[in-house]
Amino acid sequence: MNRDDILLEAEMSMEKSVDYMVHEFAAVRTGKASPGLVENVDVHAYGSTMKLKQLALITTPETRLLVVQPFDAGTVQDIERSLKESKIGITPAVDGSACACAREPAGRAR
């Protein structure tokens, strides 16, 4: 292996590490709601376990509000149950075919 190959391999490895950390930091609890907080919640639907991001569109219309809109309205109850059972400190409220999840302000005890 020559010097250029070693540098290229190290650079690719470092880029992967940075990408991983950016993804992990998206789930950190801050004062603002982020789709990264809930996108990897496991949801039992269709007889198997899937990640929430595979079942729904996750948006943040307001600073402390997450809205989860399932691609199939039949999974809204499964999504609500999984969000309640998760340990992320939010309580979903079903509004028709979507779940609204309000975040507590930062600094309050959970």
Side-chain angles (χ1 to χ4, degrees):
M1 239 178 169
N2 64 25
R3 181 176 163 243
D4 291 336
D5 291 338
I6 294 171
L7 288 174
L8 181 62
E9 184 177 325
E11 184 178 343
M12 289 182 355
S13 178
M14 288 181 211
E15 285 177 4
K16 287 179 185 178
S17 297
V18 169
D19 290 342
Y20 176 79
M21 287 307 302
V22 167
H23 181 265
E24 289 297 308
F25 285 147
V28 172
R29 289 181 61 96
T30 61
K32 184 175 186 247
S34 167
L37 291 171
V38 297
E39 69 181 10
N40 289 315
V41 170
D42 290 325
V43 179
H44 186 73
Y46 305 118
S48 66
T49 302
M50 302 163 66
K51 298 291 183 192
L52 181 58
K53 64 183 173 184
Q54 296 172 323
L55 294 170
L57 178 66
I58 307 164
T59 58
T60 54
E62 296 176 21
T63 306
R64 293 193 181 127
L65 182 67
L66 285 167
V67 175
V68 180
Q69 297 173 313
F71 301 128
D72 176 11
T75 60
V76 73
Q77 298 300 326
D78 298 326
I79 291 171
E80 178 190 25
R81 184 179 328 99
S82 296
L83 288 172
K84 283 181 180 177
E85 292 173 356
S86 69
K87 299 188 191 282
I88 55 177
I90 60 172
T91 304
V94 175
D95 182 24
S97 62
C99 286
C101 307
R103 289 259 343 256
E104 294 179 359
R108 290 183 57 191
R110 290 190 281 159

